[in-house]
Amino acid sequence: MQFVEETTPDRIVAQTHEKLVAGTPVKDMLLAAALAVVRSSDLPPGHHGGPLHPLAGLHAVRHISARLTGEYARLPVIQNVAVANKHIHSPAMGPYVLADAKPVSENDDVEATVKAFRTAVSRGVYNACDHYYLYLLERLSPMQVLELLLEVGVPKNQLDDHYFLFPVFTWRALEYFGWDYAKYIGRAPVRYITRPTNPAMMIDVDNLIKKYELLERDLRVKTGDDETEAITRLADQIGRRNEFAEIPEMLAQALGDGLSLEGTGEGLSVGGSTLFLRSLTGNPMDVHINTGANTRRYLLRQPELSRRIKLQALLMWNTGPEVRMAQRMLAPDIQPEPDRVAYLPSRTQDELLAELGDLIDRLPVGERLPAAGLASWRSTDEVKQAAALAQQYGNCGYDPEALIAMLGKIACRDNFTEMHAFEHHQATYEEFYATRPSLRWRHLVSAVQAAAISHGRIQDVYDHAAEVMHF
C-alpha cells in the first residue's frame, strides 16, 4: 500500500514492473493498489477519479493477466496500479485519508439497522451509511449486503451507469481478494451510491413487473437448447430497436411468455452486442451496453439475490446514460453489413489475424483526440472495417482463442479509458463463452470494434512499460 501511495507517478510503471519480476504475486499487487486507492483517494463529483475505475477494473485485470503470457501478463497489473497511483497523486483527489469508521447498529438489531441504513441513504448521509454498512457486513452474507446497495444503485442507474456497475464490479473483485477486505474496499461504492440525488427523476419499472405478474408466477430460471429459437428472436428484436425505451417491455413480455431468466439475460446480451455494432460512436468510454448486460447476467446467477432486484436490474439496462448515448448514433440496419463482409478476399486464419492487428496498429496514436466533447466522437471507417474482418473471422469458424489473445494485448495498451477497455474485453470474453454457439460471435465482433475505437487515444503507460520490458 505504501509503495502505491508514495511512489511518484513518473516512476510507478518501472517500479511496479520491478516488483512483479522480483516475485510479488499479482494478487498482492492488485490488493495493495485497491486498498491504497480507497484509503488515499477521495471520490470527486462525477465518476472520473478516485477509487471508482481502479476498483471497477480489477475483475477484468486479474482475468486478462491470467490469460496472457510472458511480459504481457504483467501489463494489465501495471495499468491498474498506475491509474490508482495517478488518482492518489492528483490534486483533485487529495490529500485525503479515508476516515476511520466502526460498526454502528440500531439496538444491535439487523432489521432496525437495515431500516436506518435506508433512511440514511434517502438523505444522502454517507458517513452514517459507512457505519451501518460495517455492522451489516458482520451480520449478513456478502450477497445480502450487495442487495441493499443495489436497492440504491439500480434506480440510480439512469443517472449514471456506475451507480449500478461500481458495487457489482467491486463485489466481483472481493470474490477474488476475500470478504475480509470488504470492510475497507466496499466502503468506496457505499459512499458513492449514497450521494444525494433527486428521486423525482427516477423511472419506476415495477409497473412492468406487476403487469406481467413476474413476482407471482413461477419463472423458469435455467435456460436450455429448447429456448434457442426464442432467445434468437428476442436478441434480433432488441438489436433492431431504434428506441431503447421499448426494450424493458420486450424483456418483461418474454419472461411473461415463459422464457427463462437466464435466457432473457442471454437475449439481452446478444441484442446489446448487436446494438453496439450498429453504434457509430467513436467514444471509447461507451462500453456499458456490454458491461451492463454482463454484470446483470452475473446477478441472475446469484441464488441469494431476490427475484425483485434481479428483475429491476434487468429491466433498467437501457436507462444508463452511456447506454442511451448509442441511440443517437445508430446505423439504420445491422452491422457489419453482410455485403461488406462478403466482398472481403479469402484469407487463412493467420492472414486474417495479421490483417486485423495491422489495421488497428495503423490507427494513429495520440492524434485521435478530437477537440469536441467525447459524446460527439464518431467511429472511422477503419473501425467498421475491423468489425467486418472480425465477422469474416467468425464466419470462417476460426479459433476464437487466437483472436481473444490478440485483443487482450491490444486492451493492455490503453490508459485513456481508465479500465473501460479492460472491462469491455473481459465482458465480451465472458459473454462469448456464456452464449450458445449460434449467437456468440456477436460478442467477439463487438470486442474488435471496441478495441479499434479505443486504440491509440492515449497509451503512455504502455509506451513506458514497453521501454522497461524492451518490447
Side-chain angles (χ1 to χ4, degrees), residues 62-78:
R62 68 108 161 180
H63 282 289
I64 296 171
S65 175
R67 286 199 297 275
L68 296 176
T69 58
E71 288 280 45
Y72 263 101
R74 299 185 177 112
L75 269 171
V77 183
I78 292 170

Side-chain angles (χ1 to χ4, degrees), residues 154 157 161-162 164-166 168-169 172 251 265 268-270 272-273 276 285-300 310 312-320 322-323 420 423-424 426-428 431:
V154 168
N157 181 86
D161 310 69
H162 298 85
F164 169 78
L165 293 171
F166 188 19
V168 179
F169 274 134
R172 299 199 78 175
L251 298 172
L268 172 64
S269 179
V270 176
S273 280
F276 182 81
M285 304 287 191
D286 285 350
V287 299
H288 296 315
I289 280 179
N290 289 108
T291 60
N294 173 250
T295 46
R296 283 162 173 83
R297 290 188 78 187
Y298 164 78
L299 294 181
L300 293 178
K310 290 176 181 179
Q312 289 173 335
L314 198 62
L315 300 179
M316 294 288 285
W317 169 84
N318 68 296
T319 64
E322 291 183 42
V323 172
H420 281 71
E423 292 163 19
H424 188 273
Q426 180 62 24
T428 49
E431 291 308 290

Side-chain angles (χ1 to χ4, degrees), residues 377-432:
W377 291 8
R378 286 185 171 265
S379 59
T380 62
D381 189 64
E382 289 89 346
V383 168
K384 292 302 182 179
Q385 180 69 6
L389 290 170
Q391 188 65 59
Q392 182 188 38
Y393 189 97
N395 292 349
C396 291
Y398 291 152
D399 178 21
E401 283 296 329
L403 178 59
I404 289 165
M406 185 185 79
L407 292 173
K409 291 179 179 180
I410 292 171
C412 287
R413 301 172 190 172
D414 171 77
N415 60 284
F416 175 75
T417 68
E418 295 201 338
M419 299 282 110
H420 281 71
F422 293 84
E423 292 163 19
H424 188 273
H425 175 62
Q426 180 62 24
T428 49
Y429 170 86
E430 291 180 9
E431 291 308 290
F432 178 82

Side-chain angles (χ1 to χ4, degrees), residues 129-190:
C129 293
D130 252 359
H131 293 287
Y132 292 137
Y133 162 76
L134 291 173
Y135 171 82
L136 293 170
L137 270 181
E138 297 175 348
R139 301 298 193 279
L140 302 175
S141 72
M143 280 298 156
Q144 288 173 317
V145 175
L146 177 60
E147 174 140 354
L148 285 174
L149 303 190
L150 292 177
E151 287 177 5
V152 186
V154 168
K156 289 185 178 181
N157 181 86
Q158 61 202 289
L159 306 178
D160 189 321
D161 310 69
H162 298 85
Y163 282 115
F164 169 78
L165 293 171
F166 188 19
V168 179
F169 274 134
T170 302
W171 251 240
R172 299 199 78 175
L174 287 167
E175 288 179 333
Y176 173 53
F177 294 136
W179 296 110
D180 288 345
Y181 294 102
K183 58 189 174 184
Y184 310 113
I185 295 172
R187 287 178 62 189
V190 169

